[in-house]
Amino acid sequence: MNILTAPRFPLTRLLARCAVAATVALATAGAMAQQPWPNKPVRIIVPYGAGSSPDVIARIVAEKLSPRLGQPVVIENRAGGGGNNGTGMVAKAAGDGYTFVISTNGPLVYNTVLYKKLPYDPFTELRPVVLAGGQANICAVRSDSGITTLKELVAAMKKEPGKFNFSSTGVGSLSQLGVELLKVKTDTFAVHIPYASSPLAILAILQGDVQFACVPAVAVIPQVKAGKMRTLAVSTAKRSQLTPDIPTMKEAGLPEIENLAWMAIMAPATTPNDIVQRMNIEINAVLAMPDVKEKLHAQYMEPIGGSEQDLQRFMQQELRVMTPIIKRTGISIE
């Protein structure tokens, strides 16, 4: 028997089985596609190190967000590049609703002006979800520095312009730009040394590698309570209700220096509207919880919340306000 005269039923059965298998596969794929979001763990990327302010608020929010979504919310630290690495990674990620980022002033706004060629565009490759929270930066020195006020720090920098270094949470971060503005306004000089997180920026002061920093309160206050550091001023227009004893920059004699360190949750630009809206609703609900507020206040953070559009307007306003300030400092990063 040759191939031309062989019985055809085995081939017929094979084709039938393939057809059935294909039908089952298509039905399964269709069922999976129709499963409500989320049906697997959701990642929130933190583009800074563990213990940083975005990391702290992300973990507080994730704990309450997970049961509301019915899936684990996994926090993943991707530090480096002043926050650009992790933020840029999410900007290039698939918009499937399973990857978000909680980023800050620098990677989301300031770096579009600071960097000659930023590898991502936060205004076109990311979409706003919600403004999670904010906190004042606190300018501080080591307690044995002999400096007790911001005016004394300015006077010391003028007297010994080559002596002072300051730490920050990264190139282009508010903790850098706030000091750069201070330098411009007071005609002083200090060398910037960036670190991956606020705890590391504070450690640099304690070790004597730098002389001062203006970084989030969550990293400063524990060292102040331990007697290792002294606060000089808070960066906001009014005294913070969480640190009422610390004077504002205006009260310290520098009326034009006001800024807020903020943290926003963003998604890849292609993320569907319904998913972004659901995340916005759930995170706003979490931020309104009394125990979440209590935990954030304990970390010297204020929950903010609001709509996606609120965050979009806020970022545009930050860009308008900070662009001339950044250009005035002359900072430009390759």
Side-chain angles (χ1 to χ4, degrees):
M1 182 181 296
N2 59 40
I3 193 168
L4 296 177
T5 60
R8 296 186 179 183
F9 67 87
L11 180 58
T12 304
R13 289 181 182 176
L14 178 60
L15 290 174
R17 289 176 181 175
C18 288
V20 171
T23 302
V24 171
L26 287 171
T28 302
M32 290 180 65
Q34 292 171 10
Q35 286 182 5
W37 175 91
N39 52 51
K40 63 180 182 178
V42 174
R43 288 192 308 165
I44 298 180
I45 304 299
V46 177
Y48 299 96
S52 63
S53 297
D55 180 73
V56 170
I57 192 171
R59 294 180 188 279
I60 291 173
V61 169
E63 182 183 2
K64 298 291 187 178
L65 182 61
S66 178
R68 297 184 69 89
L69 295 179
Q71 292 289 339
V73 177
V74 180
I75 304 303
E76 186 176 318
N77 297 89
R78 291 295 185 97
N84 288 345
N85 292 356
T87 306
M89 183 189 86
V90 176
K92 306 297 184 183
D96 58 5
Y98 292 97
T99 303
F100 296 84
V101 65
I102 180 164
S103 197
T104 61
N105 313 48
L108 293 180
V109 177
Y110 306 160
N111 292 356
T112 62
V113 183
L114 284 164
Y115 282 73
K116 290 184 177 179
K117 190 176 182 181
L118 196 65
Y120 64 94
D121 186 340
F123 289 96
T124 62
E125 294 183 275
L126 290 168
R127 61 177 298 176
V129 177
V130 65
L131 185 58
Q135 59 185 330
N137 274 346
I138 294 179
C139 295
V141 295
R142 210 162 73 173
S143 57
D144 61 0
S145 66
I147 295 170
T148 61
T149 67
L150 191 61
K151 283 187 175 180
E152 289 179 4
L153 174 62
V154 170
M157 286 195 290
K158 286 185 174 181
K159 184 178 180 180
E160 301 180 86
K163 176 182 176 181
F164 287 84
N165 301 327
F166 72 96
S167 55
S168 79
T169 56
V171 175
S173 66
L174 184 64
S175 58
Q176 179 197 4
L177 293 178
V179 176
E180 297 292 351
L181 183 57
L182 170 67
K183 288 161 56 179
V184 169
K185 295 295 184 182
T186 58
D187 193 26
T188 53
F189 176 79
V191 176
H192 173 228
I193 302 178
Y195 291 85
S197 66
S198 48
L200 292 176
I202 291 298
L203 181 62
I205 298 177
L206 298 177
Q207 292 178 337
D209 299 325
V210 302
Q211 284 66 52
F212 72 101
C214 295
V215 295
V218 65
V220 177
I221 299 302
Q223 301 299 334
V224 173
K225 290 181 176 179
K228 297 179 180 180
M229 293 187 69
R230 177 181 292 114
T231 60
L232 304 179
V234 66
S235 68
T236 46
K238 298 180 180 180
R239 291 198 185 204
S240 169
Q241 63 174 338
L242 304 177
T243 55
D245 297 331
I246 302 176
T248 66
M249 293 282 192
K250 184 175 182 178
E251 291 169 334
L254 302 170
E256 295 184 55
I257 301 177
E258 300 173 2
N259 44 65
L260 176 73
W262 51 268
M263 292 147 283
I265 295 177
M266 309 285 287
T270 55
T271 306
N273 290 333
D274 58 340
I275 292 177
V276 171
Q277 291 165 5
R278 170 83 186 278
M279 280 289 279
N280 175 272
I281 290 169
E282 300 297 357
I283 293 172
N284 270 297
V286 168
L287 293 173
M289 294 177 179
D291 57 336
V292 169
K293 288 183 178 180
E294 184 178 348
K295 288 179 180 179
L296 291 176
H297 287 170
Q299 299 295 324
Y300 304 96
M301 299 180 195
E302 287 283 3
I304 298 177
S307 69
E308 309 146 52
Q309 292 74 27
D310 290 336
L311 175 52
Q312 187 174 41
R313 286 190 291 267
F314 177 79
M315 289 174 61
Q316 292 289 349
Q317 176 67 10
E318 279 277 274
L319 183 64
R320 286 191 293 270
V321 170
M322 293 301 293
T323 294
I325 293 173
I326 293 169
K327 290 184 175 180
R328 192 184 307 157
T329 67
I331 304 170
S332 182
I333 304 170
E334 295 291 340

